[in-house]
Amino acid sequence: MKNAYARAGVDVEAGETAVEMMKKHVAKASRPEVIGGLGGFAGLFDASKLAGYSHPVLATSTDGVGTKVAIAQAMGVYDTIGWDLIGMLVDDLVVVGAEPLFVTDYISCGKLIPEKISTIVSGIAQATHAAGAALIGGETAEHPGLMGEDDFDIAGATTGVVEKDAMLGPDRVKVGDKLVAMASSGLHSNGYSLVRAVFDGVSLDKEFDELGGTLGDELLTPTRVYALDVLALIEGVEVHAMSHVTGGGLASNLERVLPKGVGARVERGTWALPAIFELTKSYGKLSREDVEATLNVGVGMVAAVAAKQADQAVELLEGRGIESWICGEIVEGERVELVGDYKIS
């Protein structure tokens, strides 16, 4: 007979099974500094690594995936959503020059199905490893009565470290710096409330020629994790600031890393708007300004680099498999302006 907690809808045994199933995934997302394993009350990380720094500064970030989880839930595909979580976390750290050290995650669900949770964690672990960090702990919570049986949500936090003298930010940005854009893999994990409203009533199985596949597959394309590529860029050329293009679009996120009295000019004509953005615009009868104020329009990360090294920056990133280009420059002013028209693809 089930105990009282199980009769109330919380299956402790299922939780224990999920932990055992996810251990094999988490083991692949480790670093030498990790102490102990999964299942303890706290994740442990040997901080003696920081002794090698002259003036270490810890950086931290917390985030979730937002309503993109509704797409994963509707499609029954759970192995990619973890990449979205890690992309949102670690790439907020690297914009200040910080190396991601470790990640913790939190998964809530209406009914704990071990295989489903393990699959979600597999994506989180793969992406954490791809970012050079360790997945050192987390929590899975069953919320019967608060969430539907098929419902789930994920969130997480990450910590990194940077030498104080090496921190990137507005104080380093200079008029004349070139802006190097790094292509997004698609919508990433922002603006899905708008996108879902635009395609409300459209089957996720619907094929679109311009997408080269189904709407669902495109909407579930995982966020690109730039962490190691950005750290390589910082090591290879003179980078002054970085902007992770998330909620609010390209202009507003770029403004966050500019000093007072300095603006930026971004040339739309340096890239073609990817198909999913054009489709969202036309289907939703949205203005270009609406799209640009919400979505990343094909740019996931922007670096402000010394003008003389902009071409070298593009070459370095392209060599690492990141489509990149010079999209504009830092100018005198107070605003980020997107000018011209996008290329015709």
Side-chain angles (χ1 to χ4, degrees):
M1 181 178 178
K2 292 182 177 180
N3 63 28
Y5 205 16
R7 292 197 299 272
V10 177
D11 191 338
V12 175
E13 289 186 4
E16 292 172 348
T17 300
V19 170
E20 287 302 313
M21 293 180 69
M22 66 179 74
K23 281 183 177 179
K24 62 183 179 183
H25 303 302
V26 176
K28 299 175 183 177
S30 189
R31 290 174 51 127
E33 301 91 348
V34 176
I35 298 173
L38 192 66
F41 286 99
L44 300 173
F45 191 91
D46 186 352
S48 63
K49 171 185 173 63
L50 305 186
Y53 287 76
S54 297
H55 190 155
V57 175
L58 295 178
T60 185
S61 172
T62 186
D63 210 338
V65 175
T67 61
K68 188 170 183 175
V69 297
I71 307 297
Q73 181 178 318
M75 294 182 65
V77 176
Y78 306 112
D79 61 341
T80 61
I81 200 74
W83 283 83
D84 297 292
L85 177 64
I86 299 306
M88 292 297 100
L89 291 174
V90 300
D91 288 335
D92 275 357
L93 292 189
V94 295
V95 298
V96 299
E99 174 195 358
L101 298 177
F102 56 82
V103 172
T104 56
D105 63 37
Y106 177 79
I107 305 172
S108 58
C109 57
K111 182 176 177 59
L112 199 158
I113 301 172
E115 294 80 8
K116 178 177 174 179
I117 299 301
S118 177
T119 302
I120 293 171
V121 172
S122 73
I124 294 174
Q126 289 168 18
T128 300
H129 176 70
L135 182 58
I136 66 170
E139 173 73 9
T140 302
E142 200 170 17
H143 292 162
L146 183 64
M147 304 175 73
E149 285 197 358
D150 293 332
D151 293 341
F152 76 97
D153 198 9
I154 62 175
T158 185
T159 297
V161 62
V162 59
E163 193 75 72
K164 188 174 188 296
D165 290 343
M167 288 173 58
L168 305 181
D171 58 307
R172 294 185 174 225
V173 175
K174 303 174 184 177
V175 172
D177 284 351
K178 296 297 185 181
L179 298 174
V180 175
M182 298 171 224
S184 68
S185 56
L187 293 167
H188 283 187
S189 301
N190 298 103
Y192 272 76
S193 293
L194 172 63
V195 173
R196 288 170 53 244
V198 165
F199 293 107
D200 185 37
V202 180
S203 171
L204 293 172
D205 292 328
K206 181 177 174 60
E207 298 265 357
F208 286 89
D209 290 341
E210 56 266 58
L211 298 179
T214 68
L215 176 64
D217 285 342
E218 179 66 35
L219 296 186
L220 210 55
T221 300
T223 299
R224 174 166 282 155
V225 176
Y226 299 93
L228 293 183
D229 304 302
V230 166
L231 291 175
L233 180 69
I234 294 169
E235 182 71 22
V237 304
E238 185 182 337
V239 179
H240 294 157
M242 302 282 308
S243 175
H244 185 200
V245 184
T246 55
L250 175 55
S252 67
N253 281 286
L254 190 49
E255 285 174 357
R256 296 168 65 181
V257 298
L258 299 181
K260 188 174 182 179
V262 171
R265 179 184 174 92
V266 177
E267 302 279 352
R268 294 188 185 97
T270 59
W271 80 98
L273 199 63
I276 185 58
F277 300 97
E278 286 281 14
L279 186 64
T280 302
K281 179 176 177 291
S282 60
Y283 240 81
K285 297 180 173 59
L286 304 174
S287 68
R288 182 170 67 184
E289 290 70 27
D290 282 335
V291 173
E292 291 177 340
T294 308
L295 307 177
N296 69 53
V297 295
V299 179
M301 190 81 77
V302 180
V305 305
K308 62 184 178 182
Q309 293 191 312
D311 290 333
Q312 184 181 342
V314 171
E315 183 179 353
L316 186 155
L317 290 166
E318 291 278 354
R320 296 181 63 88
I322 304 296
E323 181 186 357
S324 307
W325 63 95
I326 298 170
C327 68
E329 65 179 333
I330 300 298
V331 298
E332 293 181 354
E334 295 286 347
R335 299 176 54 221
V336 175
E337 292 186 303
L338 274 65
V339 299
D341 296 316
Y342 294 107
K343 283 182 181 178
I344 303 299
S345 58

